[in-house]
C-alpha cells in the first residue's frame, strides 16, 4: 500500500478521473443561461470547402423543444412535468428561491450550510442517501449559488414515489431532526470544503473579484461558501430561523422530467406535498451592476506556474437585453478555439499559453472576466500591453459576421447536447425550473433562442463597448508565497469595523414538536435493462466499426481509438502521446488541403462540431461530436486531423511550451503532483504503466521532442491496424458506412508489424510505505493511497471487487467517507476507485483532510481498511444497498450518447461480449457476502 500525503485539496478539474458523486455532491454551481441561435452556416473563403455543405441551423433548432405541463398546489408549490420515455428514469429537480444573496450580515454561508443539513436526515428519514442509493439513484446532489438552492436526483421510475416522499419530508418535516450534533458535523464539513477551495492554485480569486466589484452590503459581494467567522457563530436557533423564513413550498419550483406523465405527477405530488403549509415569501433583493469610479488593480501571490492577468467587470443579469450579445462577445474574444485572444496572443505573438473570456451570468448581475496566462520567459509588461491592446481592438472594431455566426453555431450544438439529460444540474428539468424561477416562463429558453438569433455584429460591438469600456478590476496572480488567507475572506466585508457577534453556539434551542410519523413508500421492481442494439461492420481496410443508434437528439459521437495510450510512452519518450495528440488539430497538410489551427477551429465552429484528441493509460483516441445533418463534412475534417497532421516546427515549439507549462502547473498542485508521481511509485520502472498518470511526461522528454519524433510516433501508433471506430447517435448504419469508407476505408497500414505493449512485466513485491511532500502553511493535506491488485482488466468475474469498493470507499455511504466526513468532519469527502486498465488493476483512495488531522486521518483510514474484512465483514445492509443500488441505477448510467460510448468502448477493449451490460443485473444478484469479503 502506498500513501502519498499532499498538503492541499482536490482540484475540480480532476474530479472526473478520481471522484464520482461523493466529493461533488455539494459543489456550488452557477445559474445556467440557456441561449441558442438561428443562423446560416458560411464557409471561410480561404479554407477548402468540405465536399458536403453543412445544413442550415434553422432546420436544427426546431428540435430544441421541451414540451411540459404545469400545475400549482394550494400551498403555492409550482410543478412542471416533462415526459420523455427514452429510459425508465425520472429526473427530480427542486429549486428553492433562496441563495447566498439573501443572507444578511453575520449569516454568510447559511444557504449553503443548510444545503448540507438537508442531506442529514429529517423526522422520518434517517439519511436521505441510504434509501435513494439502494433504490438506484446515483446522482443525488445539491448545490447553492447566489440566486437559488437546488436538489436533484435521477431515479428509476419505480423509485419516484420514494424520491418525492424524501423531498417532501425535508421540505415539511426537517426541523425536528436538526440537532446540535448534526449542525456541528456539517459545519465542519463545510469548513473543510472552504479550505479545499481556498487552497487550490488561484483559489482566492473569487473573493478578490467580489470584493473588488461590489461594495460592502451588495448582495453579490460575499461568497456563497461564507466566512469562517459566520460559520463558527451559527447556532441551532439561527439555522432554525433561517429554515422557517425561506424553505416553504410557495418558494419552490419542482420539475419532474422523464418517464412520468401529468396524471401520475399530480397524484404523487399532491399525496406528498399538499399538506405542507405555506410560509413567508422570500423577499426580493435589490441588486444591480456597479460602475467602478476608477480602475482598480490588485496583485496576489500564490504557488502558480504562470503569471495570470485578469480583467473583471460587473455586468447585466439574466434577462437584460445586452446579455445575449455579451455572451457572443465573450466567445469571440476568448471562448472559441479560434478566438481573437487565442489567435493573437497564443498562436500569433506567442505571449500567452492560455486565454479565457467568460460572462458568468446570474439573475441580477453578471461577472465578466477575461484572462491571460503569460508564457514563461515573456516580459510581463509587453504581454500586458498586448493583452490590453487586443481587447481594445475588439471593442473598437467589433466582430465580423463570420465570427458571430460561428459563436451562434457553437451555442446551438451545446444546447442540443445538454438536452440529452432529463435531470441533474443542467438537463431538461433544470432548464424548465430556472426559466420559471428567474424569468416567469418555463419555456424561456425559446425566448433566449430568439434573442440570440437577432444578435448582429453591431449589437455585439455595442454591448461590449457599453460594458467593457467602463473602469475594470485587474486581479493579477504572480508566483510566490501567499500573503492572504481564505479563512479571513468570503464574508460581509466590514468585519474590521463590525466583528461577528459572540454567539453561544452550544446553547440548547427550545424543543420542537414532531409531526405525526410518515412511512416511506416501497420501491417498485425495475424491469429488464435495455441497452441500444450493437451493430458491427468492417471497412474495406479491416477497421472494425461499432454502431449504437440513439435518436433522442440529432447528434452523433464518433470515436476512432488506437491501442496506444500513455503506456506507449515506455517505447518512446515520456509525454510523447500527449504532445502528439495535442498537435493533431494544430495544422493539417495533405496535397492541396492545408489548414492551420485557426482554420481548423473555424471549420469546426461552422459545422457545430467538436473534435478532441485524448489519451488514457491504454488508449489514444480522437472523438468527433457532430450534428447528425453535418456528419459527412465533419468526418471529412476529422479524417485530415487524424491522418494528416502537419507537425509544423513552429506549432511543435509552441505546443511543447504549453505542455511544459502545464507540467509545471501540475507539479505546483498538490493533487496534480500526487497523480503525476503515483504510477512510477506503484509500478516497476520496466512496466509500461510506470509512466506519469497525467500523460504530461517529464521536462527532459518534452525538451527532446521534434517534428520528426512526433511524426514517427504518429506513424507508429495511429495506424489502421491498431484502430477501432465506435459510433453512437442519430445515424443508421447504411448512412454511416459510406461516410466512414470515404474518410478511413482507404487508409493502409505501414510496412512492418504493429507495436505491442508488454503488460505482463513481472510486478515486484513492494513494502507498505508513506511518501510525504511538504507544503508549509497549507490548511489541508491531500492523502492518496494506492495498491496493485492481483487481477487484470481482462480477467472475468471480478464484479465483486467493484461491489467491495463501493462498501469501502466507492460511494457516498461508504465506510471511509462516513467515517472521515460524516462522523469526524475532518474532510469534505473521501473516495476510492478500482481502476480497470487492460493490465494489472489498481485500487486508489483519495482523502483531502484538514492539516491538523493528517495523522489522525491516516490512522483512521488504515484502521477502516484493516477492519474490512478482518473484524468487520460486509453487512447484509451494505451488500443489499450496494448490489440493489447498482442494479437499479443501471438505466441512469446509459442516458447520454457519451455514457453509451464509454460503456461500449470499455467492453470492447476488455473483450467482453455485447450482452455483458444487459447481463449485469443477473451478475450482481449472484454476488454474496462471501464473494465481497474475499
Amino acid at each position: 500500500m502506498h500513501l502519498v500525503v499532499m498538503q492541499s485539496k482536490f482540484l475540480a478539474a480532476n474530479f472526473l478521473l478520481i471522484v464520482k458523486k461523493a466529493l461533488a455532491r455539494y459543489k456550488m454551481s452557477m445559474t445556467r443561461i440557456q441561449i441558442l441561435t438561428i443562423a446560416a452556416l458560411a464557409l471561410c473563403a480561404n479554407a477548402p470547402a468540405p465536399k458536403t455543405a453543412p445544413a442550415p441551423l434553422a432546420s436544427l433548432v426546431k428540435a430544441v423543444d421541451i414540451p411540459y405541463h404545469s400545475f400549482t398546489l394550494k400551498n403555492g408549490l409550482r410543478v412542471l412535468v416533462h415526459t420523455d420515455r427514452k429510459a425508465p428514469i425520472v429526473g427530480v429537480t427542486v429549486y428553492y428561491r433562496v441563495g447566498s444573496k439573501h443572507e444578511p450580515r453575520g449569516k454568510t454561508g447559511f444557504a449553503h450550510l443548510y444545503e448540507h443539513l438537508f442531506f442529514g436526515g429529517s423526522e422520518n428519514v434517517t439519511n436521505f442517501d441510504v434509501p435513494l442509493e439502494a433504490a438506484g439513484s446515483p446522482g443525488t446532489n445539491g448545490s447553492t449559488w447566489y440566486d437559488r438552492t437546488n436538489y436533484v436526483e435521477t431515479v428509476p421510475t419505480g423509485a419516484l414515489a420514494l424520491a418525492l416522499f424524501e423531498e417532501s419530508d425535508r421540505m415539511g418535516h426537517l426541523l425536528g431532526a436538526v440537532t446540535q450534533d448534526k449542525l456541528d458535523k456539517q459545519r465542519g464539513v463545510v469548513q473543510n470544503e472552504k479550505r479545499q477551495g481556498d487552497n487550490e492554485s488561484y483559489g482566492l480569486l473569487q473573493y478578490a473579484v467580489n470584493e473588488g466589484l461590489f461594495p460592502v452590503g451588495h448582495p453579490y459581494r460575499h461568497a456563497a461558501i461564507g466566512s469562517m467567522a459566520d460559520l463558527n457563530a451559527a447556532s441551532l436557533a439561527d439555522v432554525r430561523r433561517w429554515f422557517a423564513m425561506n424553505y416553504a413550498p410557495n418558494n419552490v419550483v419542482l420539475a419532474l422530467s422523464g418517464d412520468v406523465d401529468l396524471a401520475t405527477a399530480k397524484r404523487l405530488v399532491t399525496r406528498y406535498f399538499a399538506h405542507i403549509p405555506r410560509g413567508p415569501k422570500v423577499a426580493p433583493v435589490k441588486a444591480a451592476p456597479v460602475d467602478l469610479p476608477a480602475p482598480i488593480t490588485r496583485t496576489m501571490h500564490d504557488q502558480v506556474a504562470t503569471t495570470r492577468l485578469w480583467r473583471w467587470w460587473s455586468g447585466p443579469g439574466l434577462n437584460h437585453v445586452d446579455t445575449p450579445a455579451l455572451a457572443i462577445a465573450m466567445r469571440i474574444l476568448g471562448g472559441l478555439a479560434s478566438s481573437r485572444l487565442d489567435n493573437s496572443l497564443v498562436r500569433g505573438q506567442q505571449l500567452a499559453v492560455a486565454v479565457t473570456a467568460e460572462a458568468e451570468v446570474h439573475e441580477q448581475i453578471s461577472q465578466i472576466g477575461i484572462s491571460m496566462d503569460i508564457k514563461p520567459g515573456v516580459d510581463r509588461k509587453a504581454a500586458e500591453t498586448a493583452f490590453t491592446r487586443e481587447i481594445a481592438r475588439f471593442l473598437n472594431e467589433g466582430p465580423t459576421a463570420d465570427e458571430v455566426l460561428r459563436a451562434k453555431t457553437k451555442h446551438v450544438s451545446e444546447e442540443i447536447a445538454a438536452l440529452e439529460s432529463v435531470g441533474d444540474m443542467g438537463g431538461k428539468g433544470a432548464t424548465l425550473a430556472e426559466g420559471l424561477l428567474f424569468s416567469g416562463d418555463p419555456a424561456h429558453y425559446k425566448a433566449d433562442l430568439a434573442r440570440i438569433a437577432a444578435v448582429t455584429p453591431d449589437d455585439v460591438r455595442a454591448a461590449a463597448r457599453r460594458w467593457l469600456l467602463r473602469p475594470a478590476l485587474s486581479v493579477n496572480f504572480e508566483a510566490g508565497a501567499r500573503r492572504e488567507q481564505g479563512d479571513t475572506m468570503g464574508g460581509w466585508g466590514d468585519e474590521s469595523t463590525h466583528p461577528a457577534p459572540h454567539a453561544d453556539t452550544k446553547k440548547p434551542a427550545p424543543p420542537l414538536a414532531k409531526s405525526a410519523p410518515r412511512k416511506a413508500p416501497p420501491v417498485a421492481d425495475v424491469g429488464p435493462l435495455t441497452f441500444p442494439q450493437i451493430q458491427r461492420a468492417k471497412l474495406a481496410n479491416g477497421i472494425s466499426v461499432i454502431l449504437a443508434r440513439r435518436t433522442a437528439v440529432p447528434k452523433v459521437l464518433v470515436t476512432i481509438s488506437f491501442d496506444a495510450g500513455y503506456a506507449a510512452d515506455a517505447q518512446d519518450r515520456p509525454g510523447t502521446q500527449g504532445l502528439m495528440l495535442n498537435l493533431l488539430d494544430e495544422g493539417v497538410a495533405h496535397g492541396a488541403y492545408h489548414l492551420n489551427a485557426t482554420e481548423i477551429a473555424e471549420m469546426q465552429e461552422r459545422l457545430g462540431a467538436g473534435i478532441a484528441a485524448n489519451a488514457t493509460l491504454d488508449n489514444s483516441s480522437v472523438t468527433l461530436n457532430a450534428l447528425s445533418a453535418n456528419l459527412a463534412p465533419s468526418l471529412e475534417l476529422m479524417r485530415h486531423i487524424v491522418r494528416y497532421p502537419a507537425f509544423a516546427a513552429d506549432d511543435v515549439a509552441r505546443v511543447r511550451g504549453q505542455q511544459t507549462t502545464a507540467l509545471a502547473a501540475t507539479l505546483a498542485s498538490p493533487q496534480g503532483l500526487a497523480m503525476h508521481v503515483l504510477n512510477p511509485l506503484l509500478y516497476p520502472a520496466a512496466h509500461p504503466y510506470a509512466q506519469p498518470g497525467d500523460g504530461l511526461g517529464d521536462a527532459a522528454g518534452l525538451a527532446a521532442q521534434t517534428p520528426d519524433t512526433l511524426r514517427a510516433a504518429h506513424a507508429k501508433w495511429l495506424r489502421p491496424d491498431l484502430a477501432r471506430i465506435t459510433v453512437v447517435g442519430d445515424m443508421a448504419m447504411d448512412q454511416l458506412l459510406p461516410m466512414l469508407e470515404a474518410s478511413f476505408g482507404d487508409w493502409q497500414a505501414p510496412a512492418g508489424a504493429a507495436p505491442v505493449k508488454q503488460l505482463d512485466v513481472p510486478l515486484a513485491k513492494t513494502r507498505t510505505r508513506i511518501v510525504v511532500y511538504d507544503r508549509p502553511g497549507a490548511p489541508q493535506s491531500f492523502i492518496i493511497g494506492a495498491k496493485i491488485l492481483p487481477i487484470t482488466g481482462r480477467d472475468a468475474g471480478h464484479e465483486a471487487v467493484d461491489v467491495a469498493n463501493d462498501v469501502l470507499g466507492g460511494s457516498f455511504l461508504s465506510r471511509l467517507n462516513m467515517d472521515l466526513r460524516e462522523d469526524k468532519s475532518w474532510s469534505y469527502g473521501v473516495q476510492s476507485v478500482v481502476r480497470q486498465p487492460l493490465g494489472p488493476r489498481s485500487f486508489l483512495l483519495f482523502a483531502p483532510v484538514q492539516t491538523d488531522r493528517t495523522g489522525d486521518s491516516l490512522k483512521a483510514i488504515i484502521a477502516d481498511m484493516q477492519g474490512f474484512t478482518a473484524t468487520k465483514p460486509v453487512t447484509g445492509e451494505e451488500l443489499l444497498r450496494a448490489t440493489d443500488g447498482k442494479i437499479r441505477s443501471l438505466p441512469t448510467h446509459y442516458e447520454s450518447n457519451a455514457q453509451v460510448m464509454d460503456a461500449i468502448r470499455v467492453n470492447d477493449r476488455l473483450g467482453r461480449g455485447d450482452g455483458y451490460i444487459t447481463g449485469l443485473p443477473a451478475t450482481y444478484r449472484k454476488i454474496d457476502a462471501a464473494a465481497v469479503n474475499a
Side-chain angles (χ1 to χ4, degrees):
M1 184 74 178
H2 300 265
L3 291 167
V4 181
V5 183
M6 312 300 300
Q7 290 186 313
S8 188
K9 67 167 296 292
F10 278 161
L11 298 181
N14 289 328
F15 270 19
L16 291 180
L17 173 65
I18 62 172
V19 181
K20 299 177 184 177
K21 75 166 188 175
L23 298 182
R25 63 170 298 169
Y26 297 123
K27 183 183 178 188
M28 292 174 287
S29 62
M30 64 181 170
T31 299
R32 178 171 164 271
I33 180 171
Q34 308 286 336
I35 39 186
L36 306 172
T37 176
I38 299 177
L41 287 169
L43 294 174
C44 181
N46 63 347
K51 298 173 183 175
T52 306
L57 282 183
S59 64
L60 298 172
V61 297
K62 293 178 181 178
V64 183
D65 186 37
I66 314 173
Y68 71 93
H69 297 280
S70 65
F71 61 93
T72 303
L73 299 185
K74 292 181 179 179
N75 59 13
L77 177 67
R78 293 176 290 177
V79 185
L80 304 169
V81 183
H82 164 68
T83 302
D84 180 343
R85 304 289 192 185
K86 71 182 177 189
I89 57 176
V90 182
V92 179
T93 306
V94 184
Y95 271 73
Y96 286 81
R97 189 66 157 109
V98 59
S100 61
K101 75 180 182 185
H102 299 94
E103 297 163 347
R105 175 191 276 118
K107 300 293 186 288
T108 63
F110 264 51
H112 179 239
L113 177 61
Y114 230 99
E115 178 213 315
H116 280 244
L117 288 169
F118 256 40
F119 281 97
S122 59
E123 294 173 8
N124 300 287
V125 183
T126 303
N127 184 309
F128 289 107
D129 287 282
V130 172
L132 282 176
E133 192 169 295
S137 175
T140 303
N141 211 332
S143 71
T144 305
W145 208 225
Y146 295 102
D147 305 310
R148 89 296 181 274
T149 304
N150 69 353
Y151 302 89
V152 300
E153 54 260 354
T154 300
V155 299
T157 306
L160 175 58
L162 173 64
L164 293 177
F165 168 81
E166 291 204 0
E167 291 291 354
S168 69
D169 211 62
R170 61 181 166 193
M171 184 187 295
H173 305 271
L174 184 80
L175 283 184
V178 177
T179 64
Q180 186 68 50
D181 180 62
K182 287 183 180 178
L183 172 59
D184 290 341
K185 287 179 176 177
Q186 291 307 316
R187 187 203 327 265
V189 171
V190 168
Q191 288 178 327
N192 271 306
E193 179 181 359
K194 178 177 170 67
R195 294 185 186 105
Q196 189 166 302
D198 294 350
N199 204 43
E200 186 177 339
S201 296
Y202 311 104
L204 304 184
L205 172 67
Q206 191 63 58
Y207 301 136
V209 172
N210 289 6
E211 292 170 6
L213 291 181
F214 305 111
V216 172
H218 192 286
Y220 287 87
R221 188 184 196 276
H222 66 271
I225 196 73
S227 74
M228 283 293 190
D230 287 352
L231 291 170
N232 282 329
S235 68
L236 192 56
D238 287 334
V239 297
R240 283 182 178 179
R241 281 192 296 269
W242 177 258
F243 175 83
M245 293 298 295
N246 295 291
Y247 294 87
N250 46 299
N251 295 318
V252 177
V253 172
L254 166 64
L256 303 178
S257 50
D259 187 23
V260 60
D261 54 44
L262 178 62
T264 301
K266 279 187 175 181
R267 174 173 54 83
L268 292 177
V269 172
T270 300
R271 176 188 303 170
Y272 294 115
F273 290 89
H275 70 283
I276 304 173
R278 283 178 174 265
K281 183 178 180 180
V282 174
V285 170
K286 291 184 178 180
V290 176
D291 290 335
L292 299 178
I296 300 173
T297 298
R298 180 171 180 174
T299 298
M300 307 181 77
H301 293 84
D302 207 343
Q303 296 191 47
V304 296
T306 60
T307 297
R308 178 173 295 175
L309 310 181
W310 276 104
R311 300 293 179 269
W312 289 94
W313 300 261
S314 65
L318 189 66
N319 296 307
H320 193 282
V321 66
D322 281 343
T323 298
L326 276 172
I328 297 299
M330 290 301 101
R331 282 187 179 270
I332 294 168
L333 188 56
L336 297 174
S338 65
S339 76
R340 292 284 186 95
L341 295 176
D342 274 293
N343 290 342
S344 174
L345 302 180
V346 179
R347 300 190 189 101
Q349 303 173 69
Q350 298 191 26
L351 301 174
V353 292
V355 294
T356 66
E358 60 180 343
E360 183 182 287
V361 182
H362 304 289
E363 183 183 16
Q364 292 165 282
I365 61 97
S366 58
Q367 294 179 349
I368 304 168
I370 306 172
S371 77
M372 171 192 190
D373 283 11
I374 299 176
K375 182 179 179 180
V378 169
D379 178 70
R380 172 179 167 168
K381 184 176 181 181
E384 189 163 12
T385 298
F387 182 49
T388 303
R389 183 171 58 242
E390 197 60 39
I391 295 172
R393 186 170 76 87
F394 175 74
L395 296 177
N396 182 53
E397 298 175 359
T400 67
D402 186 56
E403 286 175 319
V404 173
L405 288 172
R406 297 201 316 270
K408 291 181 176 184
T409 306
K410 191 73 172 176
H411 269 297
V412 172
S413 184
E414 290 177 357
E415 180 63 20
I416 292 174
L419 296 184
E420 276 195 279
S421 175
V422 295
D424 213 350
M425 290 294 178
K428 291 192 277 190
T431 300
L432 294 173
E434 290 185 0
L436 178 57
L437 195 68
F438 300 130
S439 306
D441 179 13
H444 188 72
Y445 65 92
K446 291 181 179 289
D448 285 330
L449 184 151
R451 293 162 69 198
I452 283 287
V455 168
T456 67
D458 287 342
D459 294 333
V460 173
R461 179 177 180 272
R465 289 178 61 83
R466 194 152 36 242
W467 293 96
L468 273 60
L469 284 178
R470 301 177 301 149
L473 167 68
S474 299
V475 181
N476 305 318
F477 277 85
E478 297 179 347
R482 276 192 179 178
R483 301 171 186 174
E484 299 160 291
Q485 296 300 320
D487 277 9
T488 64
M489 306 170 79
W492 198 251
D494 60 355
E495 286 80 7
S496 60
T497 57
H498 292 78
H502 176 74
D504 183 1
T505 58
K506 301 297 184 180
K507 181 180 179 180
L512 292 176
K514 292 187 177 182
S515 54
R518 308 170 74 215
K519 186 177 180 180
V523 176
D525 291 337
V526 295
L529 177 65
T530 59
F531 192 78
Q533 180 184 355
I534 303 298
Q535 302 177 61
R536 294 180 180 270
K538 283 187 180 293
L539 300 185
N541 58 358
I543 295 179
S544 295
V545 176
I546 304 174
L547 169 66
R549 188 176 187 188
R550 304 178 84 243
T551 59
V553 293
K555 298 204 74 173
V556 184
L557 282 179
V558 180
T559 296
I560 181 166
S561 54
F562 303 88
D563 185 7
Y566 300 145
D569 286 351
Q571 298 186 30
D572 300 312
R573 292 182 176 89
T576 297
Q577 280 293 307
L579 183 59
M580 182 265 290
L581 293 170
N582 284 338
L583 277 154
L584 294 184
D585 63 354
E586 292 293 331
V588 300
H590 180 226
Y593 197 105
H594 286 260
L595 294 174
N596 61 31
T598 299
E599 291 167 334
I600 290 172
E602 290 176 350
M603 290 186 72
Q604 291 182 68
E605 291 154 7
R606 292 188 194 96
L607 291 165
I611 300 175
N614 182 52
T616 61
L617 198 56
D618 289 317
N619 192 265
S620 297
S621 62
V622 181
T623 296
L624 165 68
N625 188 333
L627 296 161
S628 301
N630 292 340
L631 181 57
S634 300
L635 276 173
E636 185 178 347
L637 178 59
M638 182 187 189
R639 166 182 179 249
H640 283 85
I641 288 173
V642 172
R643 297 175 59 180
Y644 308 112
F647 297 117
D650 288 347
D651 293 333
V652 171
R654 172 172 49 81
V655 177
R656 182 179 59 214
Q658 290 174 318
Q659 187 156 322
T660 302
T661 303
L663 174 62
T666 295
L667 298 181
S669 156
Q671 178 186 337
L673 175 58
M675 292 302 298
H676 186 81
V677 303
L678 181 64
N679 282 355
L681 287 172
L682 198 57
Y683 294 92
H687 199 284
Y689 288 175
Q691 298 294 316
D694 50 25
L696 292 174
D698 56 38
L702 293 175
Q705 299 289 359
T706 68
D708 287 341
T709 63
L710 294 168
R711 288 190 190 99
H714 177 268
K716 180 178 180 179
W717 295 103
L718 269 59
R719 44 191 285 166
D721 49 347
L722 291 178
R724 307 177 84 85
I725 296 175
T726 309
V727 183
V728 180
D730 187 15
M731 188 62 53
M733 183 68 91
D734 60 352
Q735 298 171 291
L736 175 67
L737 275 181
M739 299 184 204
L740 292 178
E741 284 286 0
S743 297
F744 298 104
D746 63 343
W747 190 8
Q748 298 303 312
V756 177
K757 294 169 292 183
Q758 299 298 323
L759 301 181
D760 56 354
V761 172
L763 301 173
K765 291 184 177 180
T766 58
R767 69 188 188 282
T768 298
R769 55 177 171 160
I770 296 175
V771 182
V772 180
Y773 293 82
D774 188 28
R775 278 175 68 97
Q780 277 199 335
S781 297
F782 180 76
I783 301 171
I784 178 170
K787 178 181 177 64
I788 299 176
L789 304 180
I791 54 176
T792 72
R794 287 185 182 243
D795 291 337
H798 287 292
E799 287 77 14
V801 173
D802 300 312
V803 174
N805 179 63
D806 275 3
V807 173
L808 179 61
S811 70
F812 183 81
L813 296 171
S814 68
R815 294 182 179 186
L816 287 165
N817 192 62
M818 296 303 286
D819 185 12
L820 268 70
R821 173 184 162 128
E822 294 297 290
D823 183 44
K824 297 182 171 67
S825 301
W826 295 343
S827 174
Y828 178 44
V830 180
Q831 180 80 11
S832 68
V833 297
V834 178
R835 292 194 290 188
Q836 195 167 248
L838 279 169
R841 299 181 71 179
S842 56
F843 168 86
L844 272 63
L845 178 152
F846 308 90
V849 301
Q850 61 194 68
T851 300
D852 61 351
R853 291 295 188 177
T854 304
D856 294 331
S857 297
L858 283 171
K859 291 177 183 177
I861 289 169
I862 293 170
D864 286 339
M865 294 192 64
Q866 289 178 341
F868 182 51
T869 59
T871 58
K872 295 182 180 179
V874 64
T875 67
E877 179 185 359
E878 288 173 325
L879 177 63
L880 185 64
R881 184 173 67 234
T883 54
D884 270 17
K886 281 185 173 294
I887 293 169
R888 293 178 182 277
S889 68
L890 283 170
T892 67
H893 292 307
Y894 310 117
E895 181 183 9
S896 69
N897 287 350
Q899 289 173 309
V900 172
M901 170 72 79
D902 288 344
I904 292 173
R905 289 182 60 203
V906 168
N907 292 339
D908 191 54
R909 176 167 52 86
L910 299 182
R912 296 165 173 167
D914 289 344
Y916 174 79
I917 289 175
T918 54
L920 276 174
T923 301
Y924 287 133
R925 288 189 183 101
K926 293 176 183 177
I927 295 174
D928 58 15
V932 172
N933 290 333

